[in-house]
Amino acid sequence: PSWTGPGRRPAAPRARLPGTAELFASLVQSQRQVTGTDGMEAGDYTLRVTVIEAYGLAAKDKSGTSDPYVVASVGTERQRTHVVRRALSCTWGTTMAFELPNMTAGRAELLSIRFKVRD
């Protein structure tokens, strides 16, 4: 569709890529990894998410490949990996850090990581 309105043209919608993606997450407080919420002290934590790889991705470009990247979200914060050009399987090895101030065991139990592989 064409854009005739004032201001910037809206961004084209990004395609979701079906396939499989792998990531690793760890919760850290003061350089100490937390392995569970039993006995967890309230305080400031960092959630580290490492995006490892994706494979079996759908071809979305005319070339028969895609240009995948991953968007990870924790709460309202979003971070993304770099784009891998012309790939249906790729490895990122990108680690993202999400700061979690005033975290409690109850809030940690409800914590979710959302991620999407995009083209």
Side-chain angles (χ1 to χ4, degrees), residues 87-101:
L88 297 178
S89 295
C90 51
T91 301
W92 285 279
T94 301
T95 299
M96 305 169 183
F98 295 91
E99 299 303 320
L100 305 171

Side-chain angles (χ1 to χ4, degrees), residues 29-104:
Q29 182 185 37
S30 301
Q31 305 301 320
R32 180 180 62 90
Q33 185 167 334
V34 178
T35 57
T37 57
D38 290 339
M40 179 178 162
E41 298 175 16
D44 297 338
Y45 287 79
T46 302
L47 180 65
R48 292 187 185 144
V49 177
T50 301
V51 179
I52 300 168
E53 66 181 337
Y55 50 91
L57 301 174
K60 295 290 184 180
D61 297 340
K62 291 178 185 177
S63 65
T65 62
S66 289
D67 300 323
Y69 62 95
V70 174
V71 178
S73 304
V74 175
T76 59
E77 186 180 354
R78 288 185 207 194
Q79 296 183 35
R80 62 177 272 182
T81 65
H82 64 278
V83 175
V84 177
R85 301 280 178 211
R86 296 183 220 51
L88 297 178
S89 295
C90 51
T91 301
W92 285 279
T94 301
T95 299
M96 305 169 183
F98 295 91
E99 299 303 320
L100 305 171
N102 304 314
M103 182 58 58
T104 63

Side-chain angles (χ1 to χ4, degrees), residues 1 3 8-16 69 80 118-119:
W3 174 253
R8 284 182 27 185
R9 181 183 178 121
R14 303 285 187 220
R16 278 190 180 176
Y69 62 95
R80 62 177 272 182
R118 299 277 194 181
D119 177 49

